[in-house]
């Protein structure tokens, strides 16, 4: 049976055309090397070297064999690189889930930087609402997500990327539309459009608690699963809402965004299952943190 060491012996002799020098390079004595080459020739049923002259030469069969073993070693090196890359997160596949508000903020830059840094990773992106994303990460149907921190992180790793303040989104003709900033207490009599607690419990609780700490419980008249839908419904005059600052990027003509006094913060994190061993998760999480460091406003 031909072993890899036999091919290495052959190629070293073929490249030096001298058994003594080849033996020295291989750190073995010459007689065993000569015997191994003879055994290889017997196994192949062909003479690889012409030993009839003072300087040995490759036979036509030896030249063909050298060419073919070159391809073998190229494949082997590629296999070694692939193993190394896959074990360090430089290649492989990665299923990424994201909530839509991140698409107005960090997601485009993260995916662009990650694809440039790790072109051999097959990255698949899918939009989710937060509660379903957390469930699919727990069940390892998704490798990693960019989302609000879930209520229960017991099975998950949660690495906060950034926190952004909530702001008020109002219809364009709202009575407070011309103010530079508002207190949420000024919205106590307004109907609210809000995300359901079942979809994003942490965000729902932050909004309700902020209103209650300012003396009222919001009168929620309409619920929508997606932040961009909430903003659109506000633009139709169906109420007011508190949304993450990143939603300002929608630039709707029918709405105005107003900073809140003492605005509560919402954390956005990279989330993954602690039992998921996909090495690409770590490189993606590191990229997300590094990208935000470059994007974040000075002083934040």
């Amino acid at each position: 049976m031909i072993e890899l060491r036999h091919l290495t012996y052959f190629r070293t002799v073929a490249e030096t055309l001298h058994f003594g020098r080849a033996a020295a390079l291989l750190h073995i004595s010459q007689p065993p090397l000569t015997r191994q080459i003879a055994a290889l020739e017997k196994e192949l049923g062909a003479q690889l070297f012409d030993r009839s002259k003072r300087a040995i030469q490759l036979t036509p069969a030896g030249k063909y064999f050298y060419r073919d073993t070159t391809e073998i070693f190229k494949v082997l090196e590629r296999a070694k690189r692939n193993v190394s890359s896959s074990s360090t997160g430089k290649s492989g596949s990665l299923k990424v889930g994201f909530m839509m508000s991140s698409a107005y903020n960090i997601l485009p830059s993260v995916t662009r930087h990650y694809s440039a840094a790790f072109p051999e990773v097959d990255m698949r992106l899918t939009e989710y609402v937060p509660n379903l994303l957390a469930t699919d990460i727990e069940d390892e149907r998704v490798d990693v997500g960019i989302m609000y921190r879930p209520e229960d992180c017991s099975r998950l790793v949660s690495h906060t990327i950034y926190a952004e303040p909530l702001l008020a989104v109002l219809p364009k003709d709202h009575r407070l539309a011309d103010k530079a900033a508002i207190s949420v207490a000024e919205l106590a009599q307004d109907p609210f459009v809000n995300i359901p607690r079942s979809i994003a419990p942490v965000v729902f609780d932050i909004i309700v608690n902020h209103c209650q700490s300012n003396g009222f419980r919001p009168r929620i008249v309409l619920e929508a699963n997606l932040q961009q839908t909430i903003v659109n419904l506000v633009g139709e005059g169906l109420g007011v809402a508190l949304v993450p600052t990143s939603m300002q990027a929608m630039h709707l003509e029918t709405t105005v965004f107003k900073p809140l006094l003492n605005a509560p913060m919402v954390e956005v994190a990279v989330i993954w299952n602690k039992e998921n061993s996909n090495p690409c998760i770590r490189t993606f999480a590191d990229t997300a943190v590094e990208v935000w460091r470059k994007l974040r406003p000075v002083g934040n």
Side-chain angles (χ1 to χ4, degrees):
M1 181 180 294
I2 299 175
E3 300 176 10
L4 185 61
R5 62 188 176 92
H6 296 138
L7 302 185
T8 301
Y9 292 164
F10 162 73
R11 290 180 61 80
T12 305
V13 175
E15 289 165 1
T16 60
L17 295 177
H18 194 285
F19 278 93
R21 286 196 293 271
L25 290 172
L26 293 166
H27 304 291
I28 60 176
S29 60
Q30 183 174 335
L33 175 60
T34 302
R35 289 195 297 271
Q36 291 291 343
I37 295 298
L40 177 61
E41 289 175 321
K42 183 177 180 180
E43 178 71 22
L44 293 171
Q47 187 174 345
L48 300 174
F49 295 99
D50 181 356
R51 303 171 179 80
S52 63
K53 300 178 182 179
R54 184 172 181 180
I56 66 171
Q57 298 291 327
L58 282 168
T59 64
K63 291 177 181 178
Y64 279 114
F65 193 59
Y66 183 81
R67 183 194 62 190
D68 291 340
T69 58
T70 298
E71 294 303 314
I72 292 172
F73 277 84
K74 284 182 179 178
V75 171
L76 179 61
E77 283 302 312
R78 184 167 66 248
K80 289 166 62 178
R81 288 195 304 272
N82 288 345
V83 168
S84 176
S85 294
S86 63
S87 67
T88 58
K90 295 180 180 178
S91 67
S93 62
L94 186 69
K95 296 178 181 178
V96 180
F98 66 95
M99 57 183 189
M100 178 48 69
S101 61
S102 67
Y104 289 98
N105 191 340
I106 192 173
L107 182 71
S109 292
V110 171
T111 54
R112 186 167 56 251
H113 281 77
Y114 188 77
S115 295
F118 303 100
E120 295 182 13
V121 174
D122 179 17
M123 180 172 55
R124 307 291 176 89
L125 294 132
T126 305
E127 180 188 349
Y128 277 82
V129 293
N131 66 328
L132 296 181
L133 178 51
T135 297
D136 275 8
I137 292 172
E138 286 183 353
D139 296 338
E140 297 190 37
R141 289 189 289 269
V142 174
D143 293 308
V144 63
I146 296 180
M147 59 181 293
Y148 306 129
R149 290 187 74 256
E151 196 171 29
D152 179 12
C153 288
S154 58
R155 292 183 56 196
L156 303 174
V157 179
S158 173
H159 192 116
T160 299
I161 310 172
Y162 63 93
E164 63 178 335
L166 293 179
L167 47 67
V169 55
L170 314 172
K172 192 173 182 179
D173 58 357
H174 193 273
R175 66 185 185 281
L176 303 174
D178 293 331
K179 295 191 70 173
I182 66 173
S183 167
V184 74
E186 297 179 87
L187 302 175
Q189 302 305 314
D190 288 89
F192 272 69
V193 183
N194 204 22
I195 194 166
R197 192 178 193 283
S198 60
I199 294 298
V202 172
V203 176
F204 180 93
D205 288 348
I206 288 173
I207 291 171
V208 171
N209 291 340
H210 182 62
C211 292
Q212 288 181 328
S213 68
N214 282 271
F216 74 101
R217 183 174 180 84
R219 180 166 57 91
I220 299 171
V221 298
L222 189 58
E223 293 184 323
N225 293 346
L226 302 176
Q227 294 288 354
Q228 67 268 35
T229 303
I230 290 173
V231 174
N232 277 305
L233 292 173
V234 169
E236 294 297 323
L238 299 177
V240 299
L242 304 186
V243 297
T245 298
S246 56
M247 298 309 299
Q248 290 183 101
M250 288 186 67
H251 298 301
L252 291 184
E253 293 183 358
T254 55
T255 61
V256 291
F257 294 90
K258 296 297 173 182
L260 286 173
L261 302 175
N262 302 311
M265 305 293 286
V266 178
E267 290 186 357
V268 176
V270 182
I271 306 289
W272 67 92
N273 189 322
K274 63 179 67 175
E275 297 178 0
N276 190 330
S277 59
N278 185 341
C280 297
I281 293 173
R282 186 73 257 178
T283 53
F284 183 86
D286 290 344
T287 299
V289 172
E290 182 61 29
V291 166
W292 179 250
R293 286 174 181 166
K294 295 177 180 178
L295 289 177
R296 66 183 178 182
V298 176
N300 286 358

